[in-house]
Amino acid sequence: MKFISLILSSFYIFMFLPLSGQKKPVMQTGVVSSMEKVSFRLDEPVVSSDVAKINAAGGEYESFQVLISGADSELKDVSWKVTDLKSKKGKIKSENIEVNPVGYVETTEKMDNYPGELGWWPDPLLRMSSLNVAQGERQPLWVTVFVPGGTPAGTYSGRIELKSANARKVNVPVELRVWGFDIPVKPNIKTLTWVSSLKKNGDNSREARKAYYEMLLKHRLGPGGRIELDEDMLGFCMERGMNAFILDNIPNLKRVKQDSYSDEYKEKLRKRLEDYTERFGPRGWLDGMAYVYNYDEVGKKHWHLAKEMYTFVKDVNSDFRVIQCLNIPAGVEALAGYADTWDVYVAQYKKSGVEKRVAEGDEAWLAVCCYPVDRPNFFLEYPAIDGRLLGWICHHTGVTGFEYWSPNSWKGNESAPGLRGGWKANTFLKYNGDGYLTYPANDGSLPLSSVRLANLRDGFEDYEYLHLLKELNGNMEIANQVVSGPTEFSSDPNLLYSVREEIAKQIEQLLERK
């Protein structure tokens, strides 16, 4: 028996001792901007840094990406933990820091009228507590820090702790500079999007929609299209920053193949508008916040109908504001006097001559859609910085609002995306990414955000910097380095960061002098 035991012991040592002496895989990390779309393929090089350095004002969210790879080995069961960010004057608790693995969507079709590409694109921000990183791949973690209002100015430090079942622990240092001012909960620019049913997500209940509206508002995108027009829901959203909503949507007759609005339709519309006047007028909600949306993208043959319905609305209540979205630039001049607010596409802003209408006292809003396809836009193949540039463009042009047609048009998808695939990229024709900035969650919980939505939020937060600087009579010319026209802009994230930092420093100096 002793002899047999000796043989077994020798066998055990022979088989397992060499393995125990093998080196663990090295977990490689790097930090990149939130304005970069990073391939998961390691053979596509990325310039990264060792430390995450960001800055933000109170009430602001700011993001960055941590890239993880194992080079020649798979990393198993990678998990993460964030520490508090501390300074001599205060602390930002870890509960204000969110980490989301970035998922990749594959584009398999493309339209011929824009430079789309077939391949894999980072976009959905997933909710996971751990993951594996395949050999030869990298995995971005999207890190978002929220700075509560009133946080003392200064430099805050902390770290992100990364662990793996088969690699050594790695710490990624985080440095956050908090500016000496806050941005408001209620934006100084109106935003509006049209929310579709959440049935694809498994829960279209009132509470689920409320939670989704709150998520959109945290991203500074108002859910004012198709919102429930009751005091509770409107009040809930206004408390969280909503500053524009649609009272009624006069339908596009071309889409329903009709040539006129029936007397029956008009009578029902009249009663609804009279009811809104009675309910919302005393609350002050009709003053500069409530709009009637008139015949979306009306064509030349139906311009007379747009005029007719504008007059009809004004006859019910002259205080109602009527918004007119156009994709034919000449329509602005043709319909002059028959809209209070002109909703035009970014690439058509100059062609439309809408500035003349603004000089006459009208409002102007900007929008992007599948047409025109010019940058900036929300196509998956376009640079991530496009979303952030929209806030700068809105401020440069002086428009008072921004509108997007849908954050959750998920047609053709029955479930949530995964780390790789599981999602049909073109939910409207072959335009990849058009019509959705969020994704459903597999468990029916709150929908997922995206790289594009996060950058849109950051751009509207930048808008607040620009707005404040202008109020303080600061030097606005510096912003022209980033955006000098609706379609004249820099695509360099480093330049945007640099200019934004100079703007923040200016604001701090001007506030100190007051």
Side-chain angles (χ1 to χ4, degrees):
M1 289 296 293
K2 288 182 180 181
F3 179 74
I4 294 174
S5 298
L6 183 60
I7 291 175
L8 290 175
S9 298
S10 300
F11 178 79
Y12 178 86
I13 292 172
F14 177 79
M15 289 297 295
F16 296 100
L17 186 58
L19 290 178
S20 65
Q22 287 182 354
K23 291 183 179 180
K24 289 185 175 182
V26 176
M27 186 190 303
Q28 298 179 337
T29 62
V31 177
V32 298
S33 160
S34 60
M35 288 181 273
E36 295 184 40
K37 290 186 175 180
V38 179
S39 170
F40 62 72
R41 293 172 55 94
L42 276 180
D43 57 6
E44 296 185 25
V46 175
V47 177
S48 64
S49 59
D50 298 327
V51 181
K53 293 184 178 182
I54 57 173
N55 54 66
E60 184 177 4
Y61 295 83
E62 189 66 17
S63 301
F64 59 91
Q65 299 179 77
V66 175
L67 309 181
I68 305 170
S69 64
D72 298 328
S73 303
E74 177 187 20
L75 296 178
K76 297 181 180 179
D77 195 23
V78 177
S79 61
W80 44 89
K81 178 183 177 182
V82 295
T83 68
D84 296 339
L85 303 181
K86 299 178 181 179
S87 77
K88 294 179 179 179
K89 296 182 179 180
K91 177 172 66 175
I92 297 174
K93 295 181 179 179
S94 61
E95 64 194 43
N96 290 310
I97 305 172
E98 185 175 0
V99 180
N100 301 100
V102 178
Y104 286 78
V105 173
E106 185 179 17
T107 55
T108 58
E109 298 182 279
K110 63 177 182 178
M111 294 292 287
D112 294 331
N113 65 332
Y114 83 101
E117 294 182 37
L118 305 185
W120 292 91
W121 305 96
D123 196 49
L125 302 183
L126 307 175
R127 296 190 198 103
M128 303 171 67
S129 57
S130 64
L131 50 78
N132 296 332
V133 182
Q135 180 180 344
E137 292 188 2
R138 65 169 68 90
Q139 175 60 49
L141 297 180
W142 191 272
V143 183
T144 303
V145 180
F146 173 65
V147 180
T151 299
T155 300
Y156 291 71
S157 300
R159 65 186 180 277
I160 299 171
E161 300 174 350
L162 299 167
K163 295 182 180 179
S164 170
N166 64 331
R168 289 192 177 92
K169 173 182 171 181
V170 176
N171 290 331
V172 177
V174 179
E175 293 180 11
L176 164 67
R177 179 171 179 176
V178 176
W179 302 115
F181 58 91
D182 291 356
I183 62 172
V185 172
K186 182 179 179 180
N188 282 293
I189 182 169
K190 299 173 185 178
T191 63
L192 184 147
T193 191
W194 303 77
V195 179
S196 302
S197 170
L198 295 176
K199 286 182 180 179
K200 289 280 185 183
N201 201 41
D203 187 357
N204 194 43
S205 67
R206 182 179 178 85
E207 288 308 307
R209 292 179 69 81
K210 233 178 186 179
Y212 186 50
Y213 296 160
E214 183 171 28
M215 172 198 172
L216 290 173
L217 287 165
K218 285 181 178 179
H219 287 81
R220 297 188 168 254
L221 186 58
R226 301 196 188 99
I227 194 172
E228 293 84 338
L229 293 175
D230 62 75
E231 288 78 356
D232 172 67
M233 187 65 84
L234 289 173
F236 173 86
C237 290
M238 287 178 194
E239 288 175 2
R240 288 155 178 79
M242 187 179 77
N243 53 17
F245 64 94
I246 300 299
L247 285 171
D248 222 293
N249 181 17
I250 297 172
N252 178 314
L253 289 187
K254 182 179 179 181
R255 293 172 189 164
V256 294
K257 298 181 180 180
Q258 295 179 12
D259 292 320
S260 64
Y261 294 99
S262 67
D263 291 339
E264 180 183 6
Y265 168 76
K266 290 179 182 178
E267 184 58 29
K268 288 181 179 179
L269 175 60
R270 179 184 298 276
K271 289 181 179 179
R272 290 197 300 272
L273 296 179
E274 289 173 344
D275 178 59
Y276 298 146
T277 299
E278 183 178 337
R279 289 165 53 203
F280 301 151
R283 293 175 175 266
W285 291 355
L286 302 182
D287 185 14
M289 190 156 38
Y291 294 80
V292 175
Y293 194 87
N294 190 19
Y295 200 135
D296 182 46
E297 297 184 331
V298 60
K300 186 174 182 179
K301 290 183 178 179
H302 280 178
W303 282 349
H304 68 286
L305 293 174
K307 293 180 179 181
E308 174 190 333
M309 296 312 295
Y310 171 86
T311 303
F312 178 89
V313 170
K314 290 295 185 177
D315 284 344
V316 177
N317 187 335
S318 60
D319 291 333
F320 283 142
R321 298 193 68 81
V322 178
I323 186 168
Q324 182 67 63
C325 179
L326 291 163
N327 61 359
I328 302 175
V332 173
E333 183 176 352
L335 296 175
Y338 291 93
D340 304 301
T341 303
W342 303 92
D343 186 5
V344 298
Y345 296 120
V346 172
Q348 296 181 334
Y349 177 80
K350 289 184 177 180
K351 298 176 185 176
S352 70
V354 73
E355 290 167 298
K356 183 178 179 181
R357 301 309 316 147
V358 172
E360 295 292 325
D362 294 346
E363 280 189 85
W365 287 22
L366 289 179
V368 294
C369 193
C370 58
Y371 171 84
V373 298
D374 309 63
R375 288 187 56 209
N377 213 312
F378 288 132
F379 302 127
L380 290 173
E381 302 96 325
Y382 281 14
I385 197 174
D386 277 24
R388 192 155 190 165
L389 287 170
L390 287 168
W392 293 71
I393 291 171
C394 284
H395 192 275
H396 178 86
T397 55
V399 299
T400 55
F402 175 83
E403 179 259 336
Y404 188 61
W405 73 274
S406 176
N408 66 324
S409 179
W410 297 329
K411 185 178 179 181
N413 291 285
E414 300 299 329
S415 60
L419 278 173
R420 305 289 185 268
W423 185 262
K424 183 178 185 289
N426 51 305
T427 62
F428 178 70
L429 301 180
K430 296 180 182 180
Y431 294 101
N432 295 308
D434 183 60
Y436 61 92
L437 297 172
T438 64
Y439 296 82
N442 267 332
D443 57 3
S445 61
L446 187 68
L448 307 168
S449 183
S450 68
V451 168
R452 293 171 297 143
L453 181 59
N455 272 280
L456 181 66
R457 173 204 63 210
D458 292 343
F460 284 132
E461 289 174 338
D462 294 344
Y463 179 98
E464 298 301 328
Y465 284 46
L466 295 163
H467 179 84
L468 181 53
L469 183 63
K470 187 174 183 179
E471 279 194 331
L472 294 169
N473 296 314
N475 175 18
M476 298 302 301
E477 290 185 7
I478 187 174
N480 292 335
Q481 296 179 56
V482 177
V483 166
S484 57
T487 54
E488 292 83 43
F489 50 81
S490 168
S491 297
D492 181 3
N494 292 326
L495 176 62
L496 188 150
Y497 280 137
S498 176
V499 171
R500 178 176 173 272
E501 185 173 340
E502 288 302 313
I503 290 171
K505 289 177 179 177
Q506 247 197 96
I507 291 172
E508 286 188 324
Q509 292 168 0
L510 292 167
L511 288 172
E512 286 176 2
R513 297 173 191 169
K514 290 187 69 176

